[in-house]
Amino acid sequence: MPAHHDIAAETDLWNTYAASAFTEDAEPVFCWTQYAGHGPGPEVLGGPRSVLEIGCGTGRALAHLAQRGVVARGVDLSPVMVKKTTAKWAATGAEFVCAEILEHLRGHDVTYDAVYSIFGAAWFADPGRLFPLVRQRLAPGGVFAFSQPPAIPGAYGPQGMYKGGFAGKAMFTYRYSYRPAVWERLLTRAGFATANAEVLDAPHPGHIGTLLVRAVAS
């Protein structure tokens, strides 16, 4: 049987990751890059009163915002992850929802001051479908920001990747990679007033940088 993009199988893989992603001493922290203590912080979001994190993972960034009085909601595909983040961070005031992000955005009419993704759903969802839905969920002047690895030169558009190793059941997902200027065009075409995409240098020369994108709704 040929391989197919299986949401249920992908959820199982996220659940397996979730089982080992938490430690007793983990604290809330907000960082856009893959390097601890490197790069900008939540000020990129512009001081929002309410946020939605799409693909909230371990929930540490959302808990960081919630501790500072932000109304903070996160959406993640994994029910195990959401159960663990709720148990770990509920006391901060953060709320975690288990859902597929495109379905969630289509099915709710709540608006936010900011929507963001840190190596999350903005990396894995088709921007042609995701960006217009995010725009609809933002209040006027709201910010959409996301980070992920930059595109490998010459490898643009949807990039397929097998999940769970290269043996066994054929499960795969897509990650979306473009040059910064293309990200900006995709966002303005989706209705954002302004968009800026840049690659932040790694703290060590020659190491992988971080794509950081910020768009503002009209």
Side-chain angles (χ1 to χ4, degrees):
M1 180 178 293
H4 62 288
H5 190 62
D6 187 335
I7 291 293
E10 188 168 332
T11 303
D12 288 342
L13 287 164
W14 274 110
N15 289 347
T16 300
Y17 165 69
S20 60
F22 294 86
T23 60
E24 289 291 331
D25 59 350
E27 296 290 338
V29 64
F30 195 108
C31 184
W32 291 103
T33 82
Q34 62 271 50
Y35 305 104
H38 172 68
E43 67 274 7
V44 172
L45 301 176
R49 292 169 296 178
S50 62
V51 300
L52 175 69
E53 182 175 1
I54 57 175
C56 56
T58 61
R60 295 178 74 185
L62 201 70
H64 177 92
L65 296 175
Q67 280 188 333
R68 284 151 180 78
V70 178
V71 177
R73 173 180 290 171
V75 176
D76 200 89
L77 185 65
S78 165
V80 173
M81 186 70 83
V82 168
K83 182 178 179 179
K84 285 180 170 290
T85 53
T86 298
K88 181 74 174 178
W89 307 121
T92 67
E95 176 190 4
F96 299 93
V97 177
C98 182
E100 194 279 324
I101 189 57
L102 298 179
E103 294 178 359
H104 182 80
L105 292 171
R106 282 194 297 261
H108 294 77
D109 58 4
V110 178
T111 58
Y112 303 88
D113 295 326
V115 176
Y116 72 95
S117 167
I118 301 174
F119 286 61
W123 191 17
F124 295 95
D126 180 352
R129 300 172 65 196
L130 177 67
F131 290 178
L133 292 172
V134 170
R135 173 62 190 86
Q136 291 173 19
R137 299 279 71 80
L138 281 170
V143 172
F144 175 38
F146 59 91
S147 63
Q148 61 192 57
I152 295 172
Y156 306 115
Q159 307 294 311
M161 180 67 185
Y162 284 106
K163 304 275 285 185
F166 300 105
K169 184 178 179 181
M171 298 179 290
F172 60 87
T173 189
Y174 292 100
R175 298 180 175 93
Y176 290 81
S177 297
Y178 297 98
R179 296 182 179 91
V182 175
W183 284 115
E184 292 172 357
R185 287 201 299 273
L186 290 168
L187 286 158
T188 54
R189 288 174 183 171
F192 287 88
T194 63
N196 179 75
E198 61 179 325
V199 176
L200 306 177
D201 291 335
H204 304 290
H207 289 206
I208 300 169
T210 307
L211 175 76
L212 179 61
V213 184
R214 185 180 191 271
V216 179
S218 54

